[in-house]
Amino acid sequence: VQLQASGGGLVQPGGSLRLSCAGSGSAFSFRDVGWYRQAPGKQRELVASITSGGTTGYSDSVKGRFSISRNNAKNTAYLRMNSLKPEDTAVYYCNTIQIGDGWSRPTGSWGQGTLVTVSS
């Protein structure tokens, strides 16, 4: 399964944006999916994840502001981002993910990502 993120853009602080992650292949519904981001000069970090069964997880930096969901009929996952801050500015990626007890790792190839810029 290959995933491709889209939907980024320029948004003002306090605004909202919804990113989409389109998957190819029929196995999408069986895969756990993660949203990652990489800000300039920083390492890529996992911000949200959703299992094939719908269990979600969030990093502390986005908890309460971001919401991850999926629509398996459309082979698509989403990241709803509310109350955006300038520090949310980054390239956002989605990938298949393996989740363990206290750990996770991406399992697919990285797409181009989609740029989110939060600025007035």
Side-chain angles (χ1 to χ4, degrees):
V1 176
Q2 289 192 321
L3 304 182
Q4 182 60 52
S6 63
L10 174 64
V11 61
Q12 292 187 339
S16 298
L17 205 59
R18 190 181 79 159
L19 306 182
S20 297
C21 172
S24 62
S26 58
F28 177 84
S29 63
F30 299 106
R31 306 301 297 272
D32 299 342
V33 175
W35 278 100
Y36 295 78
R37 70 184 180 187
Q38 187 167 21
K42 295 188 176 181
Q43 288 190 333
R44 191 173 295 171
E45 63 170 342
L46 177 67
V47 297
S49 62
I50 185 166
T51 68
S52 58
T55 300
T56 59
Y58 301 92
S59 66
D60 288 343
S61 60
V62 307
K63 196 173 296 182
R65 300 188 298 121
F66 289 14
S67 177
I68 189 172
S69 61
R70 66 191 299 162
N71 183 332
N72 290 332
K74 295 185 177 181
N75 276 8
T76 303
Y78 304 95
L79 186 68
R80 177 69 178 181
M81 306 184 294
N82 297 325
S83 302
L84 282 162
K85 306 175 182 180
E87 51 263 44
D88 294 317
T89 296
V91 178
Y92 285 73
Y93 304 85
C94 57
N95 205 336
T96 51
I97 188 172
Q98 184 179 14
I99 300 173
D101 186 12
W103 62 269
S104 68
R105 68 179 185 92
T107 57
S109 57
W110 294 105
Q112 290 187 331
T114 186
L115 176 62
V116 173
T117 303
V118 184
S119 174
S120 55

